[in-house]
Amino acid sequence: MKQGIHPDYHQVVFMDSTTGFKFISGSTATSQETTDWEDGNTYPLIRVEITSDSHPFYTGKQKFTQADGAVDKFNKKYGLK
């Protein structure tokens, strides 16, 4: 690998803005804002709008827009009387 062309990879704390859920991960993102983590170290804090803690797919609160399948639509349109 060439030296000096890659961004600095370090530990960062990501925080969900809506729920306050925090997790630590490696990233090249930087921030002026910092936070103290459970291990006693201080890490840069990156605020994000959606994480697995607030996304409807992971929370089970997702809405299903397609209730009828193709067969139901056909039967509704040309249905047996």
Side-chain angles (χ1 to χ4, degrees), residues 16-72:
D16 189 321
S17 299
T18 56
T19 63
F21 175 71
K22 295 180 182 178
F23 63 94
I24 192 167
S25 180
S27 177
T28 59
T30 59
S31 173
Q32 298 296 327
E33 197 173 3
T34 61
T35 187
D36 293 328
W37 190 246
E38 300 161 356
D39 62 2
N41 293 327
T42 301
Y43 297 101
L45 177 68
I46 306 292
R47 295 179 185 270
V48 292
E49 294 181 18
I50 296 176
T51 64
S52 60
D53 195 50
S54 62
H55 193 279
F57 179 78
Y58 296 103
T59 61
K61 297 178 183 173
Q62 86 187 79
K63 297 177 183 176
F64 295 100
T65 56
Q66 184 179 0
D68 295 337
V71 174
D72 290 332

